[in-house]
Structure formats: structure tokens, C-alpha cells
Amino acid sequence: MIPPMTEHGGRTAALEQERRSRLYEYAEQGDALRPEPSDGSEHRRRAFAALLGEFRRTAVLVPVDADGAPLAADFGGVRWIYAFSDEGALARFAVARGEGAREWAYQRWLGARLLDAAVPAAGVPCGVALDCADGVDGVVLPPVRGVVPDAVAVDVDGGTGDER
């Protein structure tokens, strides 16, 4: 076992006289200066970042129209490209739309391709709606900094790169 860090190499006459290294003091000060948000926002931010990373590395199903363009809908001033994690999620979407009987053409796209190429190609504010028929299990990837390229993010001034 490694003895605790102390000044003087741990050679003190009694345990009561043992002094801690100044590194402990700096570490404790750092913790005090870095309070954890009480509302859990930091935890949610990290969870979203992990989800976004996984989405970018994963192939998703993108329903396409007759011309091969991704199926999308406009809502709240944003165009949302539909994407699905598997055929079951796409089928639930089709049934929810009342179009479960027809055949749905789709392509497999890497999530990064959707965010980095398809979103900017839309020419309007655009995000991705993943598994949108699955209620709380669905995810929206909005057109904001850190999700889509800064040049098309709605929270960034395109000319200066500053946040709006």
C-alpha cells in the first residue's frame, strides 16, 4: 500500500502531526470553485453529447421520396429531416401517419452525413427528428451550434460566428 502524500516524506513523529501536501488544498479549492448545478443541467448536457456522438457514428434509416431526397417536414420555422434507428421505428412512423400499408423507400445514412451534409444542403434552418413516432424515446437534433455546422446553426451569426 502506498502511504498518503505528506510533506517531509511522511516522516513525522505522530499521526496527529502529519501534514497534507499542498496539492490537496489546491484540489479542494478547485472543487469549491466548480459547483455542480443543482438542476441537473450538466448531467443532461453530457447525456445529450453522448447521444449526439453515438448518432453521428451510427447508420440510420432515412425515408426518401421518388427523387431520393430525404423525407422532411416543416414545423416551427425549422425543416426536420426524418431519421429512424431501425425498421421497426420507421414502421411505427408509417402507421402513425396512416400510411402503414404502402412501401417506404429508405436509405441508410451515417448520422454525421445527415448533420454535416444534408442539413446545410436544405438551404433553410434544418434539424433531424430521430424516431419521431416513439414519443419520449424520440430525439430532436436542432440546428444549433455543436449539433450542425456553425454556418447553418440558428444560434450563430453567420457573418461573425458569434452566438445570437
Side-chain angles (χ1 to χ4, degrees):
M1 183 165 128
I2 300 174
M5 266 181 76
T6 61
E7 292 184 14
H8 313 295
R11 295 186 190 103
T12 57
L15 188 59
E16 294 82 32
Q17 295 174 347
E18 189 170 320
R19 291 180 23 192
R20 296 187 316 164
S21 168
R22 288 193 180 117
L23 292 175
Y24 283 110
E25 294 169 18
Y26 292 129
E28 288 170 355
Q29 286 175 359
D31 290 341
L33 297 175
R34 208 177 321 113
E36 185 66 29
S38 61
D39 62 356
S41 61
E42 186 62 30
H43 173 72
R44 287 191 303 274
R45 195 176 351 271
R46 287 184 191 137
F48 181 77
L51 178 112
L52 177 62
E54 185 65 25
F55 176 80
R56 293 182 66 78
R57 293 184 297 273
T58 302
V60 293
L61 307 182
V62 179
V64 293
D65 63 15
D67 298 325
L71 188 62
D74 293 336
F75 181 76
V78 176
R79 178 158 300 152
W80 296 98
I81 298 173
Y82 295 123
F84 301 93
S85 56
D86 55 34
E87 290 176 340
L90 177 55
R92 289 187 295 278
F93 173 75
V95 169
R97 286 177 57 122
E99 300 179 48
R102 78 172 179 89
E103 187 174 325
W104 285 73
Y106 65 85
Q107 297 177 353
R108 290 188 191 276
W109 287 19
L110 195 59
R113 179 179 175 206
L114 271 175
L115 295 174
D116 297 342
V119 165
V124 296
C126 185
V128 175
L130 176 66
D131 296 341
C132 57
D134 289 347
V136 297
D137 292 331
V139 176
V140 292
L141 302 169
V144 296
R145 174 183 274 177
V147 176
V148 299
D150 285 355
V152 295
V154 297
D155 62 338
V156 175
D157 182 4
T160 63
D162 293 333
E163 289 187 28
R164 289 186 189 170

